[in-house]
mmCIF file of all heavy atoms in Angstrom:
data_model
loop_
_atom_site.group_PDB
_atom_site.id
_atom_site.type_symbol
_atom_site.label_atom_id
_atom_site.label_comp_id
_atom_site.label_asym_id
_atom_site.label_seq_id
_atom_site.Cartn_x
_atom_site.Cartn_y
_atom_site.Cartn_z
ATOM 1 N N LEU A 1212 -13.075 41.457 -18.248
ATOM 2 C CA LEU A 1212 -13.304 42.898 -18.290
ATOM 3 C C LEU A 1212 -12.484 43.635 -17.218
ATOM 4 O O LEU A 1212 -11.902 44.690 -17.479
ATOM 5 C CB LEU A 1212 -14.798 43.171 -18.090
ATOM 6 C CG LEU A 1212 -15.273 44.602 -18.329
ATOM 7 C CD1 LEU A 1212 -15.085 45.000 -19.774
ATOM 8 C CD2 LEU A 1212 -16.748 44.728 -17.948
ATOM 9 N N PHE A 1213 -12.414 43.061 -16.016
ATOM 10 C CA PHE A 1213 -11.763 43.743 -14.902
ATOM 11 C C PHE A 1213 -10.338 43.262 -14.632
ATOM 12 O O PHE A 1213 -9.608 43.886 -13.879
ATOM 13 C CB PHE A 1213 -12.599 43.575 -13.623
ATOM 14 C CG PHE A 1213 -13.968 44.165 -13.734
ATOM 15 C CD1 PHE A 1213 -15.090 43.430 -13.408
ATOM 16 C CD2 PHE A 1213 -14.122 45.471 -14.187
ATOM 17 C CE1 PHE A 1213 -16.345 43.979 -13.518
ATOM 18 C CE2 PHE A 1213 -15.385 46.023 -14.282
ATOM 19 C CZ PHE A 1213 -16.510 45.278 -13.953
ATOM 20 N N ALA A 1214 -9.950 42.144 -15.188
ATOM 21 C CA ALA A 1214 -8.578 41.628 -14.997
ATOM 22 C C ALA A 1214 -8.066 41.082 -16.314
ATOM 23 O O ALA A 1214 -8.053 39.879 -16.539
ATOM 24 C CB ALA A 1214 -8.562 40.543 -13.915
ATOM 25 N N PRO A 1215 -7.641 41.982 -17.215
ATOM 26 C CA PRO A 1215 -7.196 41.513 -18.537
ATOM 27 C C PRO A 1215 -6.025 40.561 -18.447
ATOM 28 O O PRO A 1215 -5.822 39.736 -19.325
ATOM 29 C CB PRO A 1215 -6.808 42.810 -19.245
ATOM 30 C CG PRO A 1215 -7.520 43.895 -18.496
ATOM 31 C CD PRO A 1215 -7.607 43.427 -17.097
ATOM 32 N N ALA A 1216 -5.204 40.666 -17.370
ATOM 33 C CA ALA A 1216 -4.025 39.807 -17.291
ATOM 34 C C ALA A 1216 -4.390 38.376 -16.908
ATOM 35 O O ALA A 1216 -3.536 37.502 -16.879
ATOM 36 C CB ALA A 1216 -3.033 40.358 -16.270
ATOM 37 N N GLY A 1217 -5.630 38.112 -16.573
ATOM 38 C CA GLY A 1217 -6.010 36.789 -16.132
ATOM 39 C C GLY A 1217 -6.138 35.786 -17.253
ATOM 40 O O GLY A 1217 -6.425 34.635 -17.022
ATOM 41 N N GLY A 1218 -5.974 36.167 -18.496
ATOM 42 C CA GLY A 1218 -6.034 35.229 -19.593
ATOM 43 C C GLY A 1218 -7.232 35.496 -20.490
ATOM 44 O O GLY A 1218 -8.236 36.074 -20.098
ATOM 45 N N ALA A 1219 -7.203 35.067 -21.717
ATOM 46 C CA ALA A 1219 -8.271 35.298 -22.700
ATOM 47 C C ALA A 1219 -9.325 34.203 -22.597
ATOM 48 O O ALA A 1219 -9.027 33.056 -22.280
ATOM 49 C CB ALA A 1219 -7.682 35.344 -24.104
ATOM 50 N N GLU A 1220 -10.540 34.548 -22.841
ATOM 51 C CA GLU A 1220 -11.678 33.610 -22.815
ATOM 52 C C GLU A 1220 -12.248 33.534 -24.229
ATOM 53 O O GLU A 1220 -12.624 34.561 -24.794
ATOM 54 C CB GLU A 1220 -12.739 34.115 -21.832
ATOM 55 C CG GLU A 1220 -13.922 33.168 -21.657
ATOM 56 C CD GLU A 1220 -13.591 31.964 -20.805
ATOM 57 O OE1 GLU A 1220 -12.563 32.010 -20.096
ATOM 58 O OE2 GLU A 1220 -14.344 30.976 -20.851
ATOM 59 N N PRO A 1221 -12.342 32.353 -24.813
ATOM 60 C CA PRO A 1221 -12.875 32.255 -26.194
ATOM 61 C C PRO A 1221 -14.287 32.823 -26.295
ATOM 62 O O PRO A 1221 -15.132 32.558 -25.439
ATOM 63 C CB PRO A 1221 -12.838 30.738 -26.475
ATOM 64 C CG PRO A 1221 -11.835 30.191 -25.494
ATOM 65 C CD PRO A 1221 -11.922 31.062 -24.284
ATOM 66 N N GLY A 1222 -14.536 33.624 -27.347
ATOM 67 C CA GLY A 1222 -15.855 34.245 -27.516
ATOM 68 C C GLY A 1222 -16.945 33.265 -27.904
ATOM 69 O O GLY A 1222 -18.130 33.515 -27.650
ATOM 70 N N ASP A 1223 -16.605 32.104 -28.505
ATOM 71 C CA ASP A 1223 -17.647 31.163 -28.924
ATOM 72 C C ASP A 1223 -18.333 30.519 -27.726
ATOM 73 O O ASP A 1223 -19.510 30.144 -27.790
ATOM 74 C CB ASP A 1223 -17.051 30.095 -29.832
ATOM 75 C CG ASP A 1223 -15.842 29.401 -29.197
ATOM 76 O OD1 ASP A 1223 -15.420 29.835 -28.099
ATOM 77 O OD2 ASP A 1223 -15.301 28.463 -29.818
ATOM 78 N N ARG A 1224 -17.604 30.405 -26.582
ATOM 79 C CA ARG A 1224 -18.254 29.846 -25.381
ATOM 80 C C ARG A 1224 -19.318 30.809 -24.862
ATOM 81 O O ARG A 1224 -20.376 30.405 -24.383
ATOM 82 C CB ARG A 1224 -17.211 29.579 -24.298
ATOM 83 C CG ARG A 1224 -16.251 28.457 -24.658
ATOM 84 C CD ARG A 1224 -15.247 28.209 -23.548
ATOM 85 N NE ARG A 1224 -15.891 27.925 -22.286
ATOM 86 C CZ ARG A 1224 -15.236 27.744 -21.138
ATOM 87 N NH1 ARG A 1224 -13.917 27.848 -21.128
ATOM 88 N NH2 ARG A 1224 -15.892 27.491 -20.023
ATOM 89 N N LEU A 1225 -19.027 32.121 -24.908
ATOM 90 C CA LEU A 1225 -20.019 33.102 -24.504
ATOM 91 C C LEU A 1225 -21.233 33.076 -25.444
ATOM 92 O O LEU A 1225 -22.399 33.136 -25.002
ATOM 93 C CB LEU A 1225 -19.378 34.496 -24.494
ATOM 94 C CG LEU A 1225 -20.275 35.663 -24.088
ATOM 95 C CD1 LEU A 1225 -20.732 35.513 -22.640
ATOM 96 C CD2 LEU A 1225 -19.536 36.981 -24.279
ATOM 97 N N ALA A 1226 -20.965 32.983 -26.730
ATOM 98 C CA ALA A 1226 -22.084 32.943 -27.702
ATOM 99 C C ALA A 1226 -22.926 31.692 -27.519
ATOM 100 O O ALA A 1226 -24.174 31.724 -27.607
ATOM 101 C CB ALA A 1226 -21.533 33.031 -29.126
ATOM 102 N N ALA A 1227 -22.272 30.519 -27.223
ATOM 103 C CA ALA A 1227 -23.010 29.267 -27.067
ATOM 104 C C ALA A 1227 -23.914 29.297 -25.843
ATOM 105 O O ALA A 1227 -25.004 28.711 -25.833
ATOM 106 C CB ALA A 1227 -22.027 28.103 -26.966
ATOM 107 N N ALA A 1228 -23.469 30.002 -24.771
ATOM 108 C CA ALA A 1228 -24.277 30.043 -23.554
ATOM 109 C C ALA A 1228 -25.583 30.794 -23.764
ATOM 110 O O ALA A 1228 -26.594 30.492 -23.107
ATOM 111 C CB ALA A 1228 -23.465 30.676 -22.420
ATOM 112 N N PHE A 1229 -25.609 31.802 -24.673
ATOM 113 C CA PHE A 1229 -26.817 32.627 -24.863
ATOM 114 C C PHE A 1229 -27.413 32.464 -26.262
ATOM 115 O O PHE A 1229 -28.227 33.286 -26.678
ATOM 116 C CB PHE A 1229 -26.461 34.101 -24.623
ATOM 117 C CG PHE A 1229 -26.096 34.402 -23.193
ATOM 118 C CD1 PHE A 1229 -24.767 34.418 -22.794
ATOM 119 C CD2 PHE A 1229 -27.091 34.657 -22.251
ATOM 120 C CE1 PHE A 1229 -24.424 34.700 -21.482
ATOM 121 C CE2 PHE A 1229 -26.744 34.934 -20.941
ATOM 122 C CZ PHE A 1229 -25.405 34.956 -20.542
ATOM 123 N N ARG A 1230 -27.057 31.383 -26.977
ATOM 124 C CA ARG A 1230 -27.574 31.212 -28.331
ATOM 125 C C ARG A 1230 -29.087 31.000 -28.325
ATOM 126 O O ARG A 1230 -29.810 31.465 -29.223
ATOM 127 C CB ARG A 1230 -26.866 30.026 -29.010
ATOM 128 C CG ARG A 1230 -27.331 29.812 -30.451
ATOM 129 C CD ARG A 1230 -26.557 28.695 -31.142
ATOM 130 N NE ARG A 1230 -25.153 29.057 -31.322
ATOM 131 C CZ ARG A 1230 -24.129 28.510 -30.679
ATOM 132 N NH1 ARG A 1230 -24.350 27.555 -29.766
ATOM 133 N NH2 ARG A 1230 -22.902 28.894 -30.897
ATOM 134 N N ASP A 1231 -29.612 30.316 -27.298
ATOM 135 C CA ASP A 1231 -31.047 30.021 -27.232
ATOM 136 C C ASP A 1231 -31.821 31.027 -26.393
ATOM 137 O O ASP A 1231 -32.980 30.794 -26.043
ATOM 138 C CB ASP A 1231 -31.262 28.617 -26.639
ATOM 139 C CG ASP A 1231 -30.634 27.536 -27.515
ATOM 140 O OD1 ASP A 1231 -30.573 27.742 -28.746
ATOM 141 O OD2 ASP A 1231 -30.162 26.531 -26.956
ATOM 142 N N GLY A 1232 -31.152 32.177 -26.036
ATOM 143 C CA GLY A 1232 -31.847 33.202 -25.276
ATOM 144 C C GLY A 1232 -31.559 33.099 -23.794
ATOM 145 O O GLY A 1232 -30.786 32.261 -23.323
ATOM 146 N N PHE A 1233 -32.228 33.939 -23.026
ATOM 147 C CA PHE A 1233 -32.002 33.990 -21.579
ATOM 148 C C PHE A 1233 -32.920 33.018 -20.869
ATOM 149 O O PHE A 1233 -34.091 32.882 -21.235
ATOM 150 C CB PHE A 1233 -32.252 35.407 -21.055
ATOM 151 C CG PHE A 1233 -31.354 36.446 -21.663
ATOM 152 C CD1 PHE A 1233 -31.789 37.239 -22.717
ATOM 153 C CD2 PHE A 1233 -30.063 36.622 -21.183
ATOM 154 C CE1 PHE A 1233 -30.968 38.204 -23.270
ATOM 155 C CE2 PHE A 1233 -29.247 37.582 -21.738
ATOM 156 C CZ PHE A 1233 -29.683 38.374 -22.787
ATOM 157 N N ARG A 1234 -32.384 32.360 -19.836
ATOM 158 C CA ARG A 1234 -33.190 31.483 -18.981
ATOM 159 C C ARG A 1234 -33.335 32.195 -17.645
ATOM 160 O O ARG A 1234 -32.464 32.175 -16.788
ATOM 161 C CB ARG A 1234 -32.517 30.121 -18.804
ATOM 162 C CG ARG A 1234 -32.438 29.330 -20.112
ATOM 163 C CD ARG A 1234 -31.821 27.972 -19.898
ATOM 164 N NE ARG A 1234 -32.539 27.194 -18.898
ATOM 165 C CZ ARG A 1234 -32.147 26.012 -18.421
ATOM 166 N NH1 ARG A 1234 -31.013 25.494 -18.881
ATOM 167 N NH2 ARG A 1234 -32.860 25.378 -17.508
ATOM 168 N N TRP A 1235 -34.460 32.884 -17.513
ATOM 169 C CA TRP A 1235 -34.679 33.725 -16.335
ATOM 170 C C TRP A 1235 -35.134 32.907 -15.140
ATOM 171 O O TRP A 1235 -35.764 31.873 -15.286
ATOM 172 C CB TRP A 1235 -35.737 34.806 -16.630
ATOM 173 C CG TRP A 1235 -35.384 35.693 -17.809
ATOM 174 C CD1 TRP A 1235 -35.936 35.672 -19.046
ATOM 175 C CD2 TRP A 1235 -34.406 36.721 -17.804
ATOM 176 N NE1 TRP A 1235 -35.380 36.619 -19.863
ATOM 177 C CE2 TRP A 1235 -34.417 37.301 -19.110
ATOM 178 C CE3 TRP A 1235 -33.527 37.223 -16.873
ATOM 179 C CZ2 TRP A 1235 -33.586 38.332 -19.479
ATOM 180 C CZ3 TRP A 1235 -32.703 38.257 -17.244
ATOM 181 C CH2 TRP A 1235 -32.714 38.807 -18.527
ATOM 182 N N ARG A 1236 -34.822 33.409 -13.968
ATOM 183 C CA ARG A 1236 -35.268 32.803 -12.732
ATOM 184 C C ARG A 1236 -36.738 33.193 -12.520
ATOM 185 O O ARG A 1236 -37.137 34.309 -12.842
ATOM 186 C CB ARG A 1236 -34.420 33.308 -11.560
ATOM 187 C CG ARG A 1236 -34.687 32.598 -10.248
ATOM 188 C CD ARG A 1236 -33.904 33.277 -9.115
ATOM 189 N NE ARG A 1236 -32.484 33.372 -9.422
ATOM 190 C CZ ARG A 1236 -31.620 32.392 -9.189
ATOM 191 N NH1 ARG A 1236 -32.052 31.267 -8.641
ATOM 192 N NH2 ARG A 1236 -30.355 32.538 -9.490
ATOM 193 N N ALA A 1237 -37.504 32.267 -11.971
ATOM 194 C CA ALA A 1237 -38.913 32.562 -11.697
ATOM 195 C C ALA A 1237 -39.012 33.687 -10.683
ATOM 196 O O ALA A 1237 -38.176 33.819 -9.783
ATOM 197 C CB ALA A 1237 -39.623 31.305 -11.179
ATOM 198 N N THR A 1238 -40.042 34.497 -10.802
ATOM 199 C CA THR A 1238 -40.212 35.651 -9.926
ATOM 200 C C THR A 1238 -40.432 35.193 -8.496
ATOM 201 O O THR A 1238 -41.254 34.318 -8.235
ATOM 202 C CB THR A 1238 -41.394 36.505 -10.405
ATOM 203 O OG1 THR A 1238 -41.169 36.862 -11.757
ATOM 204 C CG2 THR A 1238 -41.526 37.738 -9.538
ATOM 205 N N GLY A 1239 -39.731 35.740 -7.529
ATOM 206 C CA GLY A 1239 -39.855 35.383 -6.112
ATOM 207 C C GLY A 1239 -39.023 34.194 -5.708
ATOM 208 O O GLY A 1239 -38.975 33.845 -4.539
ATOM 209 N N GLU A 1240 -38.412 33.488 -6.647
ATOM 210 C CA GLU A 1240 -37.586 32.317 -6.292
ATOM 211 C C GLU A 1240 -36.268 32.795 -5.715
ATOM 212 O O GLU A 1240 -35.572 33.608 -6.304
ATOM 213 C CB GLU A 1240 -37.360 31.482 -7.545
ATOM 214 C CG GLU A 1240 -36.539 30.241 -7.269
ATOM 215 C CD GLU A 1240 -36.310 29.434 -8.562
ATOM 216 O OE1 GLU A 1240 -36.955 29.761 -9.574
ATOM 217 O OE2 GLU A 1240 -35.481 28.516 -8.538
ATOM 218 N N PRO A 1241 -35.875 32.290 -4.547
ATOM 219 C CA PRO A 1241 -34.600 32.743 -3.954
ATOM 220 C C PRO A 1241 -33.413 32.229 -4.744
ATOM 221 O O PRO A 1241 -33.487 31.176 -5.363
ATOM 222 C CB PRO A 1241 -34.645 32.150 -2.542
ATOM 223 C CG PRO A 1241 -35.533 30.956 -2.653
ATOM 224 C CD PRO A 1241 -36.560 31.289 -3.682
ATOM 225 N N GLU A 1242 -32.364 32.997 -4.677
ATOM 226 C CA GLU A 1242 -31.156 32.636 -5.427
ATOM 227 C C GLU A 1242 -30.460 31.476 -4.734
ATOM 228 O O GLU A 1242 -30.255 31.455 -3.531
ATOM 229 C CB GLU A 1242 -30.192 33.838 -5.473
ATOM 230 C CG GLU A 1242 -28.928 33.532 -6.256
ATOM 231 C CD GLU A 1242 -28.008 34.743 -6.310
ATOM 232 O OE1 GLU A 1242 -28.431 35.799 -5.782
ATOM 233 O OE2 GLU A 1242 -26.910 34.636 -6.842
ATOM 234 N N ALA A 1243 -30.113 30.457 -5.505
ATOM 235 C CA ALA A 1243 -29.452 29.281 -4.950
ATOM 236 C C ALA A 1243 -28.030 29.628 -4.567
ATOM 237 O O ALA A 1243 -27.369 30.418 -5.219
ATOM 238 C CB ALA A 1243 -29.497 28.123 -5.959
ATOM 239 N N ASP A 1244 -27.575 28.966 -3.489
ATOM 240 C CA ASP A 1244 -26.185 29.175 -3.041
ATOM 241 C C ASP A 1244 -25.299 28.224 -3.811
ATOM 242 O O ASP A 1244 -25.297 27.023 -3.583
ATOM 243 C CB ASP A 1244 -26.094 28.903 -1.549
ATOM 244 C CG ASP A 1244 -24.722 29.251 -1.002
ATOM 245 O OD1 ASP A 1244 -23.890 29.723 -1.790
ATOM 246 O OD2 ASP A 1244 -24.511 29.028 0.211
ATOM 247 N N ALA A 1245 -24.603 28.767 -4.799
ATOM 248 C CA ALA A 1245 -23.775 27.944 -5.680
ATOM 249 C C ALA A 1245 -22.484 27.526 -5.034
ATOM 250 O O ALA A 1245 -21.740 26.728 -5.585
ATOM 251 C CB ALA A 1245 -23.493 28.679 -6.991
ATOM 252 N N SER A 1246 -22.161 28.069 -3.856
ATOM 253 C CA SER A 1246 -20.877 27.770 -3.260
ATOM 254 C C SER A 1246 -20.851 26.411 -2.597
ATOM 255 O O SER A 1246 -19.805 25.806 -2.459
ATOM 256 C CB SER A 1246 -20.501 28.847 -2.238
ATOM 257 O OG SER A 1246 -21.424 28.812 -1.156
ATOM 258 N N GLY A 1247 -22.007 25.917 -2.152
ATOM 259 C CA GLY A 1247 -22.032 24.634 -1.474
ATOM 260 C C GLY A 1247 -21.547 24.693 -0.054
ATOM 261 O O GLY A 1247 -21.432 23.661 0.613
ATOM 262 N N LEU A 1248 -21.214 25.883 0.486
ATOM 263 C CA LEU A 1248 -20.716 26.032 1.841
ATOM 264 C C LEU A 1248 -21.873 26.228 2.808
ATOM 265 O O LEU A 1248 -22.923 26.767 2.441
ATOM 266 C CB LEU A 1248 -19.769 27.226 1.927
ATOM 267 C CG LEU A 1248 -18.495 27.097 1.107
ATOM 268 C CD1 LEU A 1248 -17.709 28.397 1.202
ATOM 269 C CD2 LEU A 1248 -17.652 25.917 1.559
ATOM 270 N N PRO A 1249 -21.719 25.824 4.050
ATOM 271 C CA PRO A 1249 -22.808 26.045 5.025
ATOM 272 C C PRO A 1249 -22.956 27.521 5.308
ATOM 273 O O PRO A 1249 -22.037 28.297 5.090
ATOM 274 C CB PRO A 1249 -22.311 25.277 6.264
ATOM 275 C CG PRO A 1249 -20.829 25.204 6.099
ATOM 276 C CD PRO A 1249 -20.586 25.104 4.632
ATOM 277 N N PRO A 1250 -24.117 27.926 5.805
ATOM 278 C CA PRO A 1250 -24.326 29.350 6.096
ATOM 279 C C PRO A 1250 -23.422 29.815 7.215
ATOM 280 O O PRO A 1250 -22.926 29.025 8.024
ATOM 281 C CB PRO A 1250 -25.800 29.417 6.496
ATOM 282 C CG PRO A 1250 -26.118 28.044 6.971
ATOM 283 C CD PRO A 1250 -25.304 27.106 6.129
ATOM 284 N N LEU A 1251 -23.166 31.163 7.239
ATOM 285 C CA LEU A 1251 -22.297 31.723 8.248
ATOM 286 C C LEU A 1251 -22.869 31.501 9.643
ATOM 287 O O LEU A 1251 -22.145 31.185 10.582
ATOM 288 C CB LEU A 1251 -22.108 33.210 7.978
ATOM 289 C CG LEU A 1251 -21.158 33.942 8.919
ATOM 290 C CD1 LEU A 1251 -19.766 33.365 8.833
ATOM 291 C CD2 LEU A 1251 -21.162 35.425 8.597
ATOM 292 N N TYR A 1252 -24.190 31.666 9.790
ATOM 293 C CA TYR A 1252 -24.870 31.422 11.064
ATOM 294 C C TYR A 1252 -25.805 30.218 10.870
ATOM 295 O O TYR A 1252 -26.881 30.349 10.279
ATOM 296 C CB TYR A 1252 -25.686 32.638 11.499
ATOM 297 C CG TYR A 1252 -24.834 33.842 11.812
ATOM 298 C CD1 TYR A 1252 -24.687 34.847 10.880
ATOM 299 C CD2 TYR A 1252 -24.186 33.939 13.039
ATOM 300 C CE1 TYR A 1252 -23.887 35.941 11.152
ATOM 301 C CE2 TYR A 1252 -23.395 35.045 13.315
ATOM 302 C CZ TYR A 1252 -23.243 36.035 12.372
ATOM 303 O OH TYR A 1252 -22.470 37.117 12.639
ATOM 304 N N PRO A 1253 -25.410 29.030 11.315
ATOM 305 C CA PRO A 1253 -26.259 27.847 11.080
ATOM 306 C C PRO A 1253 -27.549 27.868 11.888
ATOM 307 O O PRO A 1253 -28.452 27.122 11.596
ATOM 308 C CB PRO A 1253 -25.366 26.678 11.512
ATOM 309 C CG PRO A 1253 -24.395 27.289 12.476
ATOM 310 C CD PRO A 1253 -24.199 28.699 12.034
ATOM 311 N N PHE A 1254 -27.617 28.711 12.912
ATOM 312 C CA PHE A 1254 -28.829 28.777 13.731
ATOM 313 C C PHE A 1254 -29.704 29.915 13.266
ATOM 314 O O PHE A 1254 -29.221 30.955 12.844
ATOM 315 C CB PHE A 1254 -28.473 28.952 15.207
ATOM 316 C CG PHE A 1254 -27.563 27.866 15.717
ATOM 317 C CD1 PHE A 1254 -26.215 28.111 15.897
ATOM 318 C CD2 PHE A 1254 -28.065 26.597 15.993
ATOM 319 C CE1 PHE A 1254 -25.387 27.117 16.356
ATOM 320 C CE2 PHE A 1254 -27.224 25.600 16.459
ATOM 321 C CZ PHE A 1254 -25.871 25.853 16.645
ATOM 322 N N LYS A 1255 -30.992 29.704 13.398
ATOM 323 C CA LYS A 1255 -31.960 30.693 12.963
ATOM 324 C C LYS A 1255 -32.104 31.759 14.022
ATOM 325 O O LYS A 1255 -32.296 31.462 15.182
ATOM 326 C CB LYS A 1255 -33.311 29.999 12.748
ATOM 327 C CG LYS A 1255 -34.125 30.638 11.691
ATOM 328 C CD LYS A 1255 -35.319 29.768 11.417
ATOM 329 C CE LYS A 1255 -36.253 30.515 10.529
ATOM 330 N NZ LYS A 1255 -37.488 29.773 10.309
ATOM 331 N N LEU A 1256 -31.900 32.983 13.627
ATOM 332 C CA LEU A 1256 -32.005 34.091 14.563
ATOM 333 C C LEU A 1256 -33.371 34.716 14.429
ATOM 334 O O LEU A 1256 -33.790 35.092 13.344
ATOM 335 C CB LEU A 1256 -30.928 35.134 14.294
ATOM 336 C CG LEU A 1256 -29.491 34.623 14.458
ATOM 337 C CD1 LEU A 1256 -28.527 35.732 14.126
ATOM 338 C CD2 LEU A 1256 -29.252 34.101 15.860
ATOM 339 N N GLU A 1257 -34.091 34.797 15.514
ATOM 340 C CA GLU A 1257 -35.420 35.409 15.501
ATOM 341 C C GLU A 1257 -35.280 36.858 15.821
ATOM 342 O O GLU A 1257 -34.566 37.204 16.741
ATOM 343 C CB GLU A 1257 -36.303 34.700 16.531
ATOM 344 C CG GLU A 1257 -36.534 33.237 16.211
ATOM 345 C CD GLU A 1257 -37.288 33.013 14.932
ATOM 346 O OE1 GLU A 1257 -37.982 33.930 14.477
ATOM 347 O OE2 GLU A 1257 -37.199 31.929 14.369
#
């Protein structure tokens, strides 16, 4: 949507991801860090 020059993405992959509906996150569950990188501040700041 924001970078058309980056290449085309097949529409069937998008349809396959949502064919069975949305898989919502449980309410209050924190978002997982998908990057796998350590936090910017490894020490807990009080």
Side-chain angles (χ1 to χ4, degrees):
L1212 190 64
F1213 299 129
E1220 184 75 17
D1223 53 354
R1224 292 181 56 184
L1225 180 64
F1229 293 96
R1230 182 176 294 110
D1231 298 330
F1233 300 98
R1234 294 182 57 186
W1235 303 106
R1236 188 186 306 275
T1238 304
E1240 181 181 350
E1242 181 179 357
D1244 186 2
S1246 65
L1248 296 176
L1251 183 61
Y1252 295 100
F1254 304 103
K1255 211 171 171 185
L1256 298 178
E1257 297 296 339

